[in-house]
Amino acid sequence: MKNATRCVSLSEEERFGAVSTPIYQTATFRQPTAVEFGEYDYSRSGNPTRTDLETKLAELERAPFAFAFSSGMSALSAITKLLTTGDEILAGSDLYGGSIRLLERLPRLGISVTYVDTTDVQNVRAALSNRTRMLLIETPTNPFQRVSDIAALADLAHANGVILVVDNTMLSPCLQNPIVCGADIVYHSGTKFLSGHSDVTAGVVVAKDEELADEIAFVRNAEGTALAPFDSWLLLRGIKTLDLRVEKQCSNALKVAEFLANEAGIRRVFHPSLASEEARRTHERQASGFGSVIAFTTGDAEFSRRIVEATRLCSIAVSFGSVNSTISLPCYMSHASIPDALRGELAPPRDLVRLSVGIENVEDIIEDLRSAIRSAAASNVVAIGKAVGE
Ligand code: PLP
């Protein structure tokens, strides 16, 4: 079965033949007797709407187990509970700002965090220590769209008793399945492509085996971070159009990246389609599309800000992966939460713009960007003229 079919197919025969998964909006379930439990007992532990969603997510990620969480961050938090005092986590050096904020709470528990550029496997090899237990990467990264070789990192990790965790948010399971490439755990901000409509906050953890799955299930149940029934239904509904949306977003993004790469005033454009030959080959080996998030620099923070603020179709908003195109300055927005002590090393530059390409007509998106760049250039000239006049 292909992804487009998987996205819309019903997981199980519904009792009354409903073609949309019912929302089991119930916190608790009646039990057969006082000394035995039925299939479901309490929605923190399990809920049929959520089960349907998890079955779909596992199918799409080609993995045996999937868990839906209340957010991408609660998903990552559960994953970090696999570690214990004395362990070390090696993390990519270009990660979502909120992930770094969360990881930076670990040292107080005696778990150390080391950031490493994982685009080169040798860097990771050199950084491994006898305390390393987990390697955590994004590929492509947020915001720089850097590519790491999942299979090569999985081999290296496993040879050293380390588990490989991949944040697959940037591509969605319709474009990349890290478990198939050798990852042990995959997680998502379901808030992005899986939802696709910016109407639900959700997270997902996918595990390759029962041992890891049991740990994740334990933490989620103990902490109460599972996705609520209505939000599970919203995510299920979003997933029905995932393949369709992602395909359109990817084809739009290719044209937008090409436009930006040829536009005067834009210095560098970051998108896997424009990556180095080697990075592109790695990406093409492990993914079936380049994704629809593009970053670019202008060399001038004020000019970048003016571009972002001059767009009309693209909304200024954090997050990505929605049907609507959005634009942001990661340094001030999605990556503002990187702690001060690490900003020099890990924060994106102030002139970096991140664009999430939606499903609108691509000519309209390009026209919006073209006119924003022109009007920002014009107002920058006026601003510079005024400054010189002063
Ligand atoms: N991973 C990536 C790559 C993200 O960009 C984000 C949020 O922007 C997250 C994880 C966190 O997900 P959530 O906002 O759903 O908690």
Side-chain angles (χ1 to χ4, degrees):
M1 205 188 275
K2 300 277 191 281
N3 280 334
T5 316
R6 277 179 205 271
C7 285
V8 293
S9 68
L10 294 170
S11 311
E12 266 182 44
E13 195 50 48
E14 202 278 323
R15 233 171 114 199
F16 299 110
V19 293
S20 167
T21 305
I23 306 169
Y24 285 88
Q25 193 63 45
T26 179
T28 192
F29 298 79
R30 243 182 11 207
Q31 301 305 310
T33 72
V35 293
E36 55 190 338
F37 280 125
E39 191 175 350
Y40 294 96
D41 54 85
Y42 192 52
S43 280
R44 168 157 51 74
S45 318
N47 177 282
T49 312
R50 195 163 66 231
T51 302
D52 237 39
L53 168 66
E54 291 169 342
T55 306
K56 174 95 21 214
L57 289 165
E59 259 180 53
L60 285 170
E61 277 291 9
R62 273 75 170 165
F65 303 96
F67 301 90
F69 281 77
S70 57
S71 70
M73 284 298 95
S74 61
L76 176 59
S77 178
I79 293 166
T80 63
K81 304 276 166 36
L82 296 167
L83 300 167
T84 186
T85 305
D87 288 349
E88 175 189 51
I89 172 166
L90 289 186
S93 52
D94 183 31
L95 291 183
Y96 163 57
S99 301
I100 297 171
R101 173 173 54 195
L102 191 151
L103 295 178
E104 282 308 301
R105 300 295 277 195
L106 296 178
R108 66 169 62 182
L109 303 173
I111 299 163
S112 57
V113 187
T114 305
Y115 298 95
V116 55
D117 176 0
T118 60
T119 58
D120 185 344
V121 181
Q122 300 312 330
N123 293 340
V124 181
R125 193 188 307 280
L128 284 168
S129 76
N130 57 8
R131 299 199 302 123
T132 312
R133 291 285 164 271
M134 186 180 284
L135 172 60
L136 187 147
I137 65 164
E138 290 178 12
T139 181
T141 58
N142 176 14
F144 274 108
Q145 301 296 298
R146 292 185 183 123
V147 174
S148 293
D149 187 331
I150 301 172
L153 290 173
D155 286 347
L156 178 65
H158 297 157
N160 290 276
V162 171
I163 62 168
L164 175 64
V165 177
V166 179
D167 181 336
N168 201 26
T169 306
M170 196 51 83
L171 290 186
S172 95
C174 281
L175 295 182
Q176 182 170 266
N177 297 132
I179 296 280
V180 174
C181 303
D184 301 282
I185 291 190
V186 170
Y187 72 101
H188 286 267
S189 167
T191 320
K192 311 294 190 290
F193 289 97
L194 292 171
S195 151
H197 296 75
S198 304
D199 54 10
V200 61
T201 303
V204 176
V205 175
V206 170
K208 77 150 190 219
D209 64 34
E210 198 162 356
E211 198 183 331
L212 290 169
D214 283 350
E215 284 292 313
I216 297 294
F218 177 87
V219 171
R220 187 183 66 167
N221 184 38
E223 296 186 339
T225 48
L227 194 63
F230 182 65
D231 288 352
S232 297
W233 181 83
L234 276 175
L235 208 58
L236 265 169
R237 191 170 67 161
I239 288 171
K240 288 182 186 176
T241 55
L242 177 64
D243 196 66
L244 201 62
R245 285 185 280 108
V246 164
E247 196 179 318
K248 173 74 174 163
Q249 286 173 274
C250 285
S251 74
N252 278 356
L254 275 177
K255 292 183 185 140
V256 172
E258 193 189 335
F259 158 75
L260 288 168
N262 292 303
E263 187 68 2
I266 304 304
R267 189 168 276 187
R268 289 194 64 191
V269 182
F270 304 92
H271 185 244
S273 68
L274 301 172
S276 69
E277 183 67 29
E278 194 188 345
R280 230 184 45 224
R281 251 187 285 121
T282 302
H283 183 83
E284 283 172 337
R285 227 179 14 250
Q286 61 198 19
S288 56
F290 292 118
S292 51
V293 176
I294 301 168
F296 61 90
T297 55
T298 64
D300 177 344
E302 186 53 30
F303 181 42
S304 292
R305 178 181 163 184
R306 283 170 198 267
I307 293 173
V308 169
E309 293 180 351
T311 54
R312 292 288 166 265
L313 186 68
C314 303
S315 309
I316 303 175
V318 292
S319 202
F320 55 84
S322 181
V323 288
N324 308 92
S325 294
T326 56
I327 195 161
S328 63
L329 290 176
C331 177
Y332 298 97
M333 299 171 72
S334 52
H335 292 64
S337 54
I338 296 176
D340 286 345
L342 288 169
R343 290 199 72 76
E345 185 193 345
L346 300 176
R350 291 190 307 132
D351 69 326
L352 188 84
V353 178
R354 192 184 72 190
L355 180 67
S356 172
V357 179
I359 64 165
E360 301 93 341
N361 180 288
V362 71
E363 284 160 28
D364 290 338
I365 302 172
I366 290 175
E367 192 41 47
D368 189 38
L369 291 168
R370 183 183 286 122
S371 81
I373 294 166
R374 302 261 149 98
S375 97
S379 60
N380 232 25
V381 170
V382 172
I384 290 166
K386 271 193 190 143
V388 170
E390 277 163 11

